[in-house]
């Protein structure tokens, strides 16, 4: 099999999207038709460039997913001037997290398309969750009871949007309603505020501005999480913006009033104007 330029870009994209893409996500990035997508992915799988789940594994998944096979990993490693043994890549999905990982990819693809449709915005960087698992930052913070605690911070993604004269640094938290509301406040809100103010954050990114974007499952869940953030962090809850997954589209994610910021009663856009709030 002779790899095309598009094949190479597919392999690079699978690696860049934290090692996993759904078939419909690959189609969204590189193809126009489902039949064409299926045929090319089948060839890449047959020749060892991509891997896909077995029939039994596929039964529990929301869609067909692909990750790098050994030949695909070797190809991407070679593009970076590395040998395969030096190249860090995802060898298998986190099976219990596939739906979550696909949702993160959907959000990222919506941001990419939003920037493509609106040239005044550009996506300058995206750091995936795996980077924070491999190299986590630890923060020390005060609990609601005033006790000192430590926690490693692992957002679902960190990205930078350039808009006009500004760079907005955004940390994604995709909430699948698996935690109760008080636990969200304990494990996400107070540590998240402390992280934005920490030396670890400044050393990693060079700045201490940032906002947490919390995307959850329902309007009721969103308002409960927002309330818990306000109770736990007071005025610092303004560093958190909440919305629901159903409201996220390429048309809405940057410029529509779909985000409810901690401390506010009315939703606003992520970038309502050139004087956008940029964090703590």
């Amino acid at each position: 099999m002779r790899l095309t330029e598009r094949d190479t870009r597919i392999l690079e994209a699978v690696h860049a999207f934290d090692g996993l893409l759904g078939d419909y996500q690959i189609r969204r990035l590189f193809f126009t038709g489902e039949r064409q997508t299926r045929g090319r992915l089948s060839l890449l799988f047959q020749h060892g460039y991509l891997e896909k789940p077995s029939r039994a594994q596929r039964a529990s998944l929301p869609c067909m997913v692909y990750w790098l096979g050994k030949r695909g990993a070797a190809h991407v490693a070679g593009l970076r001037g590395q040998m395969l043994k030096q190249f860090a890549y995802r060898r298998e999905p986190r099976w219990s997290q596939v739906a979550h990982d696909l949702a993160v990819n959907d959000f990222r693809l919506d941001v990419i398309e939003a920037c493509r449709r609106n040239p005044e915005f550009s996506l300058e960087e995206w750091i995936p969750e795996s980077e924070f698992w491999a190299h986590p930052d630890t923060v020390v913070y005060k609990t609601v009871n005033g006790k000192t605690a430590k926690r490693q911070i692992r957002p679902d993604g960190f990205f930078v949007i350039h808009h006009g004269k500004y760079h907005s640094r955004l940390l994604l938290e995709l909430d699948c309603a698996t935690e109760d509301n008080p636990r969200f406040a304990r494990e996400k809100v107070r540590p998240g505020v402390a992280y934005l103010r920490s030396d670890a954050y400044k050393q990693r990114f060079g700045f201490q501005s940032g906002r947490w974007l919390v995307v959850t499952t329902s309007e009721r869940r969103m308002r409960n999480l927002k309330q818990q953030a306000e109770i736990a962090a007071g005025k610092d809850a303004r560093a958190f913006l909440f919305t629901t997954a159903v409201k996220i589209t390429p048309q809405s994610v940057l410029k529509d009033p779909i985000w409810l910021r901690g401390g506010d009663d009315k939703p606003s856009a992520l970038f309502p104007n050139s004087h956008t709030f940029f964090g703590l």
Side-chain angles (χ1 to χ4, degrees):
M1 179 183 180
R2 177 173 293 181
L3 290 180
T4 65
E5 180 182 346
R6 181 169 61 185
D7 292 334
T8 292
R9 289 189 287 123
I10 290 171
L11 298 176
E12 288 184 300
V14 169
H15 179 62
F17 277 76
D18 229 354
L20 180 83
L21 277 172
D23 54 356
Y24 72 96
Q25 294 171 337
I26 296 174
R27 182 172 70 247
R28 180 176 176 181
L29 283 166
F30 299 107
F31 298 93
T32 56
E34 183 176 347
R35 184 174 179 181
Q36 183 189 29
T37 307
R38 192 185 310 120
R40 200 63 194 174
L41 294 180
S42 179
L43 278 175
L44 289 169
F45 167 71
Q46 290 168 16
H47 288 83
Y49 290 98
L50 290 175
E51 294 287 352
K52 66 179 183 179
S54 66
R55 181 169 295 184
Q57 291 167 330
R58 170 70 180 90
S60 63
L61 300 178
C63 68
M64 180 60 76
V65 297
Y66 292 88
W67 61 98
L68 289 181
K70 192 172 182 179
R71 291 186 73 183
H75 183 71
V76 177
L79 297 173
R80 289 158 170 71
Q82 292 179 286
M83 301 292 289
L84 180 59
K85 63 182 180 181
Q86 302 170 309
F87 184 57
Y89 69 101
R90 191 180 295 281
R91 289 166 171 78
E92 189 177 19
R94 302 176 299 175
W95 295 108
S96 64
Q97 295 288 315
V98 167
H100 170 274
D101 293 344
L102 290 172
V104 171
N105 289 348
D106 286 337
F107 179 90
R108 183 174 175 179
L109 287 169
D110 284 339
V111 171
I112 289 171
E113 188 172 340
C115 290
R116 181 180 61 80
R117 294 182 179 201
N118 299 277
E120 68 269 29
F121 297 99
S122 62
L123 177 60
E124 294 202 343
E125 182 179 20
W126 185 288
I127 299 175
E129 179 188 13
S130 61
E131 182 64 23
F132 293 96
W133 278 91
H135 307 286
D137 289 323
T138 301
V139 295
V140 178
Y141 63 100
K142 293 289 187 181
T143 67
V144 176
N145 298 325
K147 296 181 179 179
T148 300
K150 288 184 179 181
R151 186 165 183 83
Q152 291 185 330
I153 304 298
R154 300 186 182 98
D156 291 320
F158 170 92
F159 61 106
V160 180
I161 296 286
H162 181 221
H163 177 223
K165 299 183 295 182
Y166 300 99
H167 288 81
S168 187
R169 295 162 185 88
L170 302 161
L171 300 97
L172 177 64
E173 181 64 35
L174 192 74
D175 172 71
C176 297
T178 56
E179 299 176 343
D180 59 44
N181 297 341
R183 185 179 176 189
F184 172 82
R186 287 195 310 270
E187 298 187 0
K188 304 295 184 180
V189 175
R190 282 182 169 262
V193 170
Y195 186 45
L196 294 178
R197 290 178 167 152
S198 69
D199 290 337
Y201 184 87
K202 186 173 184 179
Q203 289 172 9
R204 189 164 197 150
F205 303 116
F207 296 87
Q208 286 189 293
S209 63
R211 291 178 288 175
W212 286 91
L213 305 183
V214 182
V215 181
T216 190
T217 53
S218 68
E219 190 78 15
R220 180 178 180 180
R221 172 79 174 172
M222 179 191 73
R223 292 189 178 277
N224 286 340
L225 295 182
K226 175 178 175 288
Q227 183 182 44
Q228 289 297 319
E230 291 164 346
I231 292 171
K235 65 179 182 180
D236 288 337
R238 70 186 189 277
F240 290 80
L241 289 90
F242 301 84
T243 193
T244 57
V246 71
K247 293 178 182 177
I248 299 289
T249 68
Q251 295 83 5
S252 68
V253 64
L254 300 180
K255 299 173 71 173
D256 284 4
I258 64 168
W259 298 94
L260 196 57
R261 192 177 78 181
D264 289 352
D265 294 325
K266 295 182 179 181
S268 60
L270 199 55
F271 295 95
N273 51 52
S274 60
H275 302 292
T276 301
F277 174 81
F278 284 90
L280 291 174

